[in-house]
Amino acid sequence: MIDYDKFKQSLTLLESQYHHLQTLDDTLPDWLQEAVSESVIHRFETCYDCMRKVLKRYLKNSLGLPDVPNSPKPLFRMANENRLLPSDVDQWLIYADSRIGTSHDYDGEKAKAALELMGAFIKDAVALYETMSGEAWL
């Protein structure tokens, strides 16, 4: 049996904080807007990492696939071959690049690019959660 709780919790927190960012008052100080943006990025990183671990377990345990890779891009390709991904595999490879980029972002450009992906990522992560867990999203 696969435990989806951490993935579900991290996705719920990401979804909530992203909503806060979208509805944030533009008149608030820059430092506050930046703090909320950074929180969304951090929650994206956590959610992405939880999702990837659960996806790997799902491919191994539920589908019984041998030699499931650790690396995200081959993992997403394998998930795509097994019709698990709700969007094109190229989009998932962009998510993987974004996750790597947020860890090594020194000028803020990669964080901005990641934030632009957040709505699509959340939608895809929810759909993947529903597919793997068999549960409807909140």
Side-chain angles (χ1 to χ4, degrees):
M1 180 148 175
I2 298 173
D3 183 0
Y4 296 96
D5 288 345
K6 288 182 183 177
F7 177 29
K8 184 178 185 179
Q9 180 181 22
S10 67
L11 183 52
T12 301
L13 291 171
L14 171 60
E15 190 176 49
S16 174
Q17 193 67 344
Y18 182 63
H19 174 73
H20 292 143
L21 178 63
Q22 290 180 305
T23 58
L24 200 61
D25 185 348
D26 290 344
T27 63
L28 292 172
D30 288 346
W31 65 267
L32 186 55
Q33 294 179 40
E34 184 178 323
V36 176
S37 294
E38 287 177 2
S39 176
V40 170
I41 295 295
H42 175 72
R43 289 182 180 189
F44 162 67
E45 292 170 339
T46 301
C47 181
Y48 175 93
D49 293 346
C50 289
M51 177 197 62
R52 193 174 55 84
K53 290 175 186 175
V54 169
L55 178 58
K56 181 178 178 179
R57 281 189 216 113
Y58 185 87
L59 290 167
K60 281 178 97 166
N61 300 343
S62 295
L63 298 185
L65 298 176
D67 303 321
V68 176
N70 282 323
S71 183
K73 290 183 179 185
L75 184 71
F76 292 141
R77 287 185 185 103
M78 183 178 276
N80 185 61
E81 290 168 6
N82 287 278
R83 296 178 162 73
L84 297 175
L85 301 182
S87 61
D88 189 74
V89 68
D90 290 335
Q91 183 65 40
W92 288 83
L93 300 180
I94 291 169
Y95 298 148
D97 287 339
S98 184
R99 171 60 182 98
I100 292 166
T102 59
S103 298
H104 305 286
D105 188 14
Y106 305 108
D107 63 4
E109 291 304 313
K110 292 177 183 174
K112 288 178 190 172
L115 287 172
E116 290 174 7
L117 292 173
M118 233 23 65
F121 174 78
I122 291 167
K123 180 181 174 188
D124 282 342
V126 165
L128 182 59
Y129 172 85
E130 290 177 332
T131 297
M132 291 189 299
S133 70
E135 295 178 12
W137 189 245
L138 311 170

